[in-house]
Amino acid sequence: MNKIEIMLRRKFLIMNENRCQDIEADTKEYPRISEILVPDLGSYNGQSDTAIEPRTINLPYKEFRELVFFLPRFTDLPILSLAMEGKVTTTPFIARCIDGDDNSIGDEIFIDPQGFGYPRYKSAILGRAKAA
């Protein structure tokens, strides 16, 4: 089993659409929009969390963007809703962007709904490691 390195953020959202557009336009500081989920830790040098790599759901940029910046209900995202139909929503998953510009394609975030119908906890994927 592969492991991923994450730093979970609870109920993270950006309430201002203009701020979201600024982040999307600032490809120098945020080459991928998922990098907004990497917390500014200042002088913190502690460990990040690790998790077993869960299933991956491929999404168009529009839905991926909603998951990164906001707290949408999964049922409000048509592709994600279909991908999760009949599956337990309490288990974590990785959302992968499959369209958009070169920086967007392949961008991924870890989502842990913890039984809720929205991305209660989310994280950029900081790294991957093969389990021994």
Side-chain angles (χ1 to χ4, degrees), residues 50-69:
T50 58
I52 295 172
E53 188 169 345
R55 71 177 185 237
T56 298
I57 299 174
N58 294 323
L59 297 172
Y61 180 79
K62 183 178 178 185
E63 291 190 23
F64 182 78
R65 178 187 193 274
E66 288 291 313
L67 290 171
V68 171
F69 292 137

Side-chain angles (χ1 to χ4, degrees), residues 22-100:
D22 290 345
I23 292 164
E24 289 172 307
D26 187 359
T27 57
K28 186 171 182 164
E29 187 170 348
Y30 304 105
R32 294 178 172 254
I33 63 169
S34 65
E35 292 184 21
I36 192 67
L37 296 174
V38 177
D40 180 7
L41 300 174
S43 62
Y44 177 75
N45 292 323
Q47 292 283 330
S48 56
D49 299 316
T50 58
I52 295 172
E53 188 169 345
R55 71 177 185 237
T56 298
I57 299 174
N58 294 323
L59 297 172
Y61 180 79
K62 183 178 178 185
E63 291 190 23
F64 182 78
R65 178 187 193 274
E66 288 291 313
L67 290 171
V68 171
F69 292 137
F70 306 106
L71 295 173
R73 301 221 40 93
F74 297 145
T75 54
D76 292 340
L77 305 174
I79 304 296
L80 179 60
S81 182
L82 282 173
M84 296 183 78
E85 193 171 50
K87 295 191 174 69
V88 179
T89 59
T90 58
T91 58
F93 63 92
I94 293 173
R96 178 185 298 139
C97 184
I98 59 168
D99 70 356

Side-chain angles (χ1 to χ4, degrees), residues 112-129:
D112 188 353
Q114 297 216 339
F116 294 88
Y118 65 91
R120 187 172 176 86
Y121 291 90
K122 52 189 165 181
S123 172
I125 296 176
L126 306 173
R128 284 187 160 78

